[in-house]
Amino acid sequence: MGSRASTLLREEEIEEIKKETGFSHSQITRLYSRFTSLDKGENGTLSREDFQRIPELAINPLGDRIINAFFPEGEDQVNFRGFMRTLAHFRPIEDNEKNKNYSGDFIAFRLYDLDRDDKISRDELLQVLRMMVGVNISDEQLGSIADRTIQEADTNGDNSISFNEFIKVLEKVDVEQKMSIRFLH
């Protein structure tokens, strides 16, 4: 499998992907090997079904939301370059890279913004919390968590969390503690 990855991925492609995503040469070849192993149709693309075969995604309550991040509106396939672009949004950001670009944070925001109206409402927060914890916490406790989260993040008083408010919260908290999706690496 490792030889297949190195023979099909040209050195200039690796260099372009390195510049575009910030991944190292070894990370790119390892992820290409993972990509080709997931590509059951052997057509150079992944479908939603290919992603659903990843055990960690299958059991993740946000699995469908994460999978959707790989597919632009109306698309049902993703090639290796698109796969890498999306993964780059989720990679940990070095301290000296912070504030360069918020595209990864935008994807995280979209996981919560279920109706895509550019704000996270209490109901959306509750839906995502229910997906994450199931029936392990009462509705009353979930409501309290949602209320407190919105109260702490909502700086303009509209009872929702905008993208800018979301960013301010993430700047205070380590993103990896809030969204652990390292299983794709």
Side-chain angles (χ1 to χ4, degrees):
M1 202 180 295
S3 62
R4 179 180 178 201
S6 58
T7 57
L8 296 180
L9 196 58
R10 296 187 327 264
E11 200 60 42
E12 57 268 18
E13 289 176 294
I14 292 173
E15 288 305 313
E16 289 171 9
I17 293 169
K18 272 175 65 173
K19 287 177 188 155
E20 192 175 341
T21 65
F23 284 112
S24 70
H25 189 285
S26 64
Q27 288 173 318
I28 293 167
T29 55
R30 190 175 75 237
L31 287 166
Y32 186 74
S33 179
R34 178 73 165 140
F35 179 89
T36 56
S37 72
L38 292 170
D39 178 14
K40 297 303 179 194
E42 297 185 0
N43 59 1
T45 63
L46 297 179
S47 67
R48 291 175 195 282
E49 293 75 27
D50 292 326
F51 280 95
Q52 289 165 342
R53 285 190 202 95
I54 300 171
E56 295 88 349
L57 276 177
I59 63 168
N60 187 317
L62 296 177
D64 286 338
R65 305 283 306 154
I66 294 167
I67 291 168
N68 288 340
F70 285 88
F71 298 93
E73 203 70 33
E75 297 290 321
D76 61 352
Q77 301 284 313
V78 63
N79 62 20
F80 181 66
R81 201 71 168 256
F83 175 76
M84 290 302 294
R85 279 189 204 109
T86 302
L87 283 180
H89 297 308
F90 290 115
R91 78 182 180 85
I93 296 173
E94 303 296 324
D95 284 340
N96 61 354
E97 291 183 69
K98 281 188 178 156
N99 300 326
K100 273 191 180 176
N101 109 29
Y102 289 115
S103 57
D105 296 335
F106 187 70
I107 289 177
F109 179 80
R110 285 290 188 216
L111 292 175
Y112 292 89
D113 182 19
L114 303 176
D115 63 6
R116 297 199 171 201
D117 66 350
D118 297 325
K119 59 186 174 193
I120 301 168
S121 69
R122 180 183 190 276
D123 287 342
E124 288 170 317
L125 193 52
L126 277 172
Q127 284 181 52
V128 173
L129 288 170
R130 275 191 197 100
M131 285 185 240
M132 291 171 31
V133 299
V135 295
N136 297 326
I137 297 180
S138 73
D139 283 347
E140 186 177 311
Q141 290 171 311
L142 284 176
S144 177
I145 293 167
D147 291 339
R148 192 171 65 243
T149 302
I150 289 177
Q151 181 181 16
E152 290 175 13
D154 180 23
T155 58
N156 67 2
D158 68 351
N159 291 319
S160 63
I161 302 170
S162 69
F163 179 66
N164 287 335
E165 292 165 336
F166 186 78
I167 290 297
K168 287 178 184 159
V169 169
L170 289 183
E171 288 172 349
K172 296 177 188 173
V173 179
D174 180 22
V175 177
E176 270 195 272
Q177 289 176 346
K178 292 295 180 191
M179 282 186 63
S180 179
I181 58 169
R182 297 182 135 217
F183 57 82
L184 289 171
H185 296 266

